[in-house]
Amino acid sequence: MATVIAILVAVFADRYAQYVPGERLIAGLRSSAWLNTYLFKLTNLLDKLGIKQNYLVALTTFLPLCIALLLLKLLFGLLFGTIGTFLFIVIALLYFLGNRYVEPNLTEFVLVHETSFGVLFWFSILGPTGALLYWFLVVSKQSLVVMESSNSSLHVAFVKLHALAAWIPARITGFLYALVGNFSPGFKAWMGCASNPSKQSSQVLQECGEAAVDAATAGDDVRLVARAFVAWVVLSILIVIFK
């Protein structure tokens, strides 16, 4: 039950953080800009150690963050007991939902999935570590150091890992777009995507979103995404309860 409440608190805080006093400070605290420096230093160190296998490099850059997250959880628990664990979950989920460092020119259907829906799915499955996982893959694959031409193979590895992590939640999101939008055309588009498992998750999201939108109503894409967000929160809570 504590995790369910934590999800609701974090989601509510994420939705309204931009409207509270000091929102720039909050945005700064939720920034992921530091990850590029972290990846730059660690990949250089791994290169000097002779570790060049791309998937091993990706795993090695992820593990210290997992350890840091675990230590933070233990610290909050030691300092504040049960309340501390609850606060840790809220703060961690709020931070990972705060990712705004995404690829340029993403449509609303893809953008909200990358910054929210994917994070919620993996959080509901693996807890804060799952949220960290999806956040890390989204941010890392487009970080400056990974995007360098000299690291093209590492970039490909991160893209493939992200595609693997996005495959299930993207298809759930596509179905939710149909469920909370124009169901008949949305579901038809989703079935077409489901019959092609190799289709990129971004294409699934875009096609299902466009099909479920009422094109005659201005701004319906934003409203569709908002309804899908509510559906994802409910789904995440149900996964947490019944898993």
Side-chain angles (χ1 to χ4, degrees):
M1 182 57 69
T3 302
V4 170
I5 297 173
I7 291 174
L8 293 173
V9 172
V11 165
F12 182 85
D14 176 60
R15 293 295 93 180
Y16 295 100
Q18 58 184 315
Y19 302 113
V20 301
E23 57 91 13
R24 289 187 179 181
L25 175 61
I26 296 173
L29 292 173
R30 300 171 77 193
S31 171
S32 58
W34 60 270
L35 188 66
N36 186 69
T37 302
Y38 166 81
L39 289 171
F40 176 77
K41 292 182 177 180
L42 195 51
T43 52
N44 279 347
L45 175 60
L46 293 173
D47 184 61
K48 291 177 181 178
L49 293 174
I51 301 175
K52 300 181 183 293
Q53 210 285 333
N54 294 308
Y55 290 101
L56 182 58
V57 171
L59 176 63
T60 306
T61 56
F62 177 64
L63 284 179
L65 299 179
C66 285
I67 295 171
L69 195 70
L70 175 61
L71 292 176
L72 277 175
K73 180 180 180 180
L74 293 174
L75 179 62
F76 270 76
L78 287 172
L79 291 177
F80 307 109
T82 304
I83 296 297
T85 302
F86 171 80
L87 289 174
F88 164 77
I89 295 174
V90 171
I91 293 171
L93 182 55
L94 178 61
Y95 179 79
F96 297 129
L97 287 173
N99 173 36
R100 296 296 179 265
Y101 185 61
V102 294
E103 298 173 46
N105 304 319
L106 291 182
T107 65
E108 190 73 15
F109 305 121
V110 181
L111 175 65
V112 75
H113 182 272
E114 293 295 84
T115 59
S116 299
F117 300 163
V119 172
L120 283 172
F121 173 79
W122 284 107
F123 174 85
S124 63
I125 298 296
L126 299 175
T129 303
L132 168 64
L133 171 67
Y134 199 78
W135 170 89
F136 175 75
L137 292 174
V138 169
V139 179
S140 294
K141 74 185 179 73
Q142 61 205 7
S143 63
L144 294 177
V145 61
V146 173
M147 291 289 287
E148 288 180 359
S149 57
S150 58
N151 287 325
S152 58
S153 297
L154 180 60
H155 177 252
V156 170
F158 270 113
V159 168
K160 289 182 177 178
L161 290 170
H162 169 264
L164 184 63
W167 197 93
I168 294 176
R171 281 148 182 81
I172 295 175
T173 298
F175 180 77
L176 290 178
Y177 283 157
L179 193 63
V180 300
N182 287 340
F183 183 77
S184 183
F187 184 70
K188 182 178 180 180
W190 183 81
M191 286 295 292
C193 293
S195 66
N196 184 6
S198 63
K199 179 170 289 191
Q200 291 184 356
S201 293
S202 59
Q203 290 180 294
V204 172
L205 294 165
Q206 187 63 28
E207 291 179 16
C208 293
E210 287 180 347
V213 162
D214 182 358
T217 306
D220 194 49
D221 56 338
V222 176
R223 287 187 287 273
L224 175 70
V225 165
R227 294 193 298 271
F229 184 83
V230 174
W232 253 116
V233 172
V234 173
L235 179 60
S236 299
I237 290 173
L238 290 175
I239 293 173
V240 168
I241 292 173
F242 293 108
K243 72 175 181 180

